Amino acid sequence: MADFTFLNIKADHFIAECKAAIGEAYVLTEASAKARFEHDFWNQYQGMALAVLRPDSVQEVSTVVQLAVKHGISLVPQAGNTGLVNGGIPDQSGVQCVLSVERLNTIRHVDPAGDFMVVEAGCILDHLRNVAAEHNRLFPLAMGSSGSSRIGGNIATNAGGLNVLRYGMMRDLVLGLEVVLPNGEILDCLKPLRKDNTGYDLKQLFIGSEGTLGVITAAALRLVAAPRERVTVWLSIQTPEQAVVLFKKFRDEFGELISAFELLGSDGVEIAIQGLQNLLRPVSEEAPWHLLVEVAWTFHEGLRSKVETVLETILGEHLCTDGAIAESEAQRAMMWRIREGQSESASKLGYILRSDVAVAIANVPALLNWLETWKVKLTPRNIRVLPFGHVGDGNLHVNFLIAKNQFANLHDELLDTLHDEVARLDGSVSAEHGVGREKLKAVTQRKSATELTLSRNLKVLLDPQSIFNPGVILENHKAKS
Ligand SMILES: Cc1cc2nc3c(=O)[nH]c(=O)nc-3n(C[C@H](O)[C@H](O)[C@H](O)COP(=O)(O)OP(=O)(O)OC[C@H]3O[C@@H](n4cnc5c(N)ncnc54)[C@H](O)[C@@H]3O)c2cc1C
């Protein structure tokens, strides 16, 4: 009882001081105002926040963090809230506060000649891509959540997406960072330098740290020349082995010009076409597997004829059974809608249990063939297996479509079985989505003691009071005082 009273008093003081520091309107405590910050994008996880804090500058973030330290209140940084691993919403204790960076949404600077832009953490990914395009530059990160996710969250999750093959993960696109540390100090590593070997590259610590080591408030991002000609191709193939052979063929022909090389299972394609509006399969017949490939360059023309020549060769070699080139932007958008809309369409049919794993490209067929065998055993139990992914990165997403009330029964069985096979193939149980709370067990079970000890020591060094996102990535524990 005494503990509850103490907790309430310190929470009340914290909230009152936050209101004084950032304005009453930006400290949300009403249930209806907090609601959208307390559940994830797909409504699969639910938490409860003491309050939602919405500062609008790095100085205000710093003040809020200092107040959290003073009162011992945990903070959960949140950007666009599209994360898939239950890391960006509070837990169910009701004592954590969401620290939203939505209002830090200024594009501070664009330098097209220097190929960089400096943006605040709350900028929506699509928005900053559009601003880069206005300067005839490309910010290459692109994914299904581009319209909602924000750059602070993209950096904190080291997001991957559709163009990793050519431009790398988020980590490869960050030149500099501004971060508020767990003691409230502002770490300014924003210099947009390509070369800076002056000791430890501290910004790297925060990329992929999922809000556990501090709050990212701004970033200097790498821009590239915007491609002028782009060719998008849809291919029907019979086996996962063909996907890998074709990937090598495209690589040999087009090298770094390939920006996407996506594999889609037949069931997922048909579910997307039937469940979403105005979609047609780009090829006439169903096929066991499909590839969606995109190549692009900065010249105005000439790429399409090169792609056509390669397609003639691979059709002649019977490496694919059918194929189509997008003839218009609308056709291209439809191909990508089939790829991107699979989860949305499948979720109308039941509950989606998601996974995100990676294996070496050579092991992609082994994993997919193992899945096919497993699928036969799961079908009589009304479990559908819908694999798709960035095959050029060895990154597969396996969606399990299950009945809505089966989540608790099937979660561990399905994911543990998949993860064990991935581990047997020497892969990763989280390719691009991160760890959050969802994969804490799966990841910690498979990390070496040395990796875990080093990670825990790092967390304690930076955040001894465990103010930031306790229980995400690592189990929650505070340094001994
Ligand atoms: C439809 C859909 C498609 C997706 N496709 C992809 C994909 O192709 N590739 C991919 O990698 N992911 C994908 N995702 C997952 C998600 O969009 C990414 O993880 C994204 O980078 C999260 O950004 P966000 O702004 O929504 O972050 P949030 O969900 O708000 O937060 C994610 C994590 O980052 C932390 N965080 C947020 N902001 C900050 C900050 N400023 N400082 C420190 N920590 C912070 C949070 O605490 C949390 O742990 C997809 C999600 C959806 C819903």
Side-chain angles (χ1 to χ4, degrees):
M1 193 64 188
D3 273 347
F4 275 125
T5 313
F6 175 67
L7 266 177
N8 285 342
I9 292 172
K10 76 175 184 175
D12 287 348
H13 284 158
F14 173 68
I15 286 170
E17 289 174 37
C18 282
K19 284 181 177 172
I22 66 173
E24 199 159 341
Y26 302 112
V27 179
L28 313 180
T29 51
E30 290 293 320
S32 58
K34 290 185 298 176
R36 78 177 168 95
F37 300 89
E38 293 177 318
H39 65 82
D40 69 301
F41 183 90
W42 294 109
N43 250 320
Q44 294 188 330
Y45 308 103
Q46 179 70 49
M48 190 164 66
L50 173 66
V52 176
L53 313 168
R54 307 183 67 225
D56 82 341
S57 66
V58 59
Q59 287 76 19
E60 283 195 358
V61 173
S62 165
T63 306
V64 164
V65 172
Q66 288 173 48
L67 291 173
V69 173
K70 177 176 157 194
H71 295 285
I73 301 286
S74 298
L75 299 173
V76 179
Q78 189 182 99
N81 198 12
T82 66
L84 296 175
V85 289
N86 191 13
I89 58 167
D91 66 14
Q92 292 174 345
S93 63
V95 299
Q96 300 186 330
C97 285
V98 172
L99 175 47
S100 167
V101 295
E102 271 179 356
R103 293 179 65 232
L104 284 91
N105 55 12
T106 304
I107 302 230
R108 292 189 190 165
H109 183 56
V110 185
D111 182 342
D115 267 333
F116 73 90
M117 69 199 298
V118 180
V119 304
E120 293 189 345
C123 291
I124 290 183
L125 176 55
D126 261 353
H127 173 60
L128 62 87
R129 279 171 57 85
N130 290 339
V131 172
E134 284 163 17
H135 291 81
N136 197 23
R137 298 284 100 184
L138 173 73
F139 179 64
L141 183 71
M143 49 194 189
S145 58
S146 299
S148 313
S149 67
R150 295 169 190 264
I151 197 69
N154 301 144
I155 296 169
T157 55
N158 186 26
L162 306 169
N163 297 329
V164 171
L165 192 54
R166 180 160 179 177
Y167 301 104
M169 303 270 289
M170 188 68 231
R171 188 180 297 285
D172 301 294
L173 303 172
V174 174
L175 295 173
L177 278 189
E178 178 187 83
V179 180
V180 174
L181 299 174
N183 62 3
E185 251 183 275
I186 299 169
L187 175 71
D188 184 346
C189 296
L190 261 186
K191 283 184 208 165
L193 301 177
R194 258 75 175 173
K195 292 187 167 183
D196 182 13
N197 270 350
T198 51
Y200 304 125
D201 190 355
L202 295 176
K203 67 177 180 293
Q204 298 295 347
L205 271 180
F206 302 93
I207 304 173
S209 67
E210 299 182 45
T212 60
L213 300 180
V215 195
I216 296 158
T217 49
L221 302 175
R222 187 162 76 88
L223 301 177
V224 299
R228 294 192 182 86
E229 189 187 8
R230 185 167 53 194
V231 185
T232 308
V233 180
W234 187 281
L235 299 175
S236 305
I237 57 171
Q238 301 299 310
T239 65
E241 284 78 3
Q242 284 178 332
V244 173
V245 172
L246 284 173
F247 177 61
K248 168 127 192 340
K249 269 226 173 303
F250 270 81
R251 262 307 215 207
D252 288 347
E253 294 295 333
F254 297 104
E256 303 308 314
L257 301 185
I258 309 172
S259 46
F261 201 95
E262 301 285 304
L263 178 72
L264 299 90
S266 176
D267 283 355
V269 168
E270 299 309 317
I271 286 174
I273 290 168
Q274 283 153 26
L276 303 173
Q277 290 194 332
N278 305 324
L279 290 188
L280 288 175
R281 193 185 316 107
V283 289
S284 50
E285 301 291 328
E286 284 187 32
W289 299 97
H290 301 261
L291 289 174
L292 176 55
V293 184
E294 201 154 84
V295 289
W297 66 2
T298 50
F299 296 107
H300 286 276
E301 57 187 37
L303 188 57
R304 185 182 164 118
S305 64
K306 292 183 194 304
V307 173
E308 282 170 351
T309 308
V310 171
L311 289 188
E312 276 166 27
T313 314
I314 60 179
L315 273 166
E317 290 174 358
H318 305 291
L319 286 172
C320 69
T321 45
D322 204 352
I325 296 182
E327 297 294 343
S328 62
E329 194 46 44
Q331 279 186 8
R332 172 181 181 263
M334 193 170 73
M335 289 178 178
W336 278 108
R337 180 78 179 118
I338 296 172
R339 159 66 179 82
E340 292 287 279
Q342 289 191 47
S343 296
E344 181 189 332
S345 187
S347 60
K348 294 177 188 166
L349 304 175
Y351 186 97
I352 305 274
L353 193 54
R354 292 182 167 73
S355 73
D356 162 44
V357 299
V359 291
I361 291 170
N363 282 332
V364 168
L367 181 59
L368 288 172
N369 289 327
W370 172 84
L371 266 181
E372 285 298 299
T373 310
W374 190 28
K375 192 169 142 182
V376 175
K377 293 183 194 150
L378 294 176
T379 307
R381 296 172 62 194
N382 271 338
I383 301 168
R384 294 179 75 177
V385 184
L386 309 172
F388 63 100
H390 319 290
V391 74
D393 311 325
N395 177 190
L396 293 171
H397 301 295
V398 183
N399 277 350
F400 298 97
L401 178 56
I402 59 178
K404 284 208 163 92
N405 56 1
Q406 287 298 301
F407 173 76
N409 293 344
L410 293 175
H411 179 278
D412 286 0
E413 178 197 333
L414 295 178
L415 294 182
D416 285 351
T417 309
L418 173 67
H419 291 161
D420 284 345
E421 181 61 12
V422 167
R424 201 185 62 76
L425 293 169
D426 210 15
S428 166
V429 298
S430 183
E432 59 178 8
H433 293 165
V435 181
R437 297 182 192 91
E438 167 63 32
K439 289 197 175 172
L440 178 64
K441 200 175 91 198
V443 170
T444 44
Q445 278 173 349
R446 292 171 177 87
K447 287 252 173 191
S448 69
T450 311
E451 286 172 299
L452 285 173
T453 306
L454 196 55
S455 303
R456 285 176 189 137
N457 288 347
L458 205 59
K459 168 74 176 168
V460 171
L461 179 73
L462 267 89
D463 186 11
Q465 272 185 264
S466 205
I467 294 290
F468 277 107
N469 237 350
V472 165
I473 296 189
L474 295 165
E475 69 285 8
N476 181 21
H477 68 115
K478 293 185 183 179
K480 293 187 186 78
S481 46

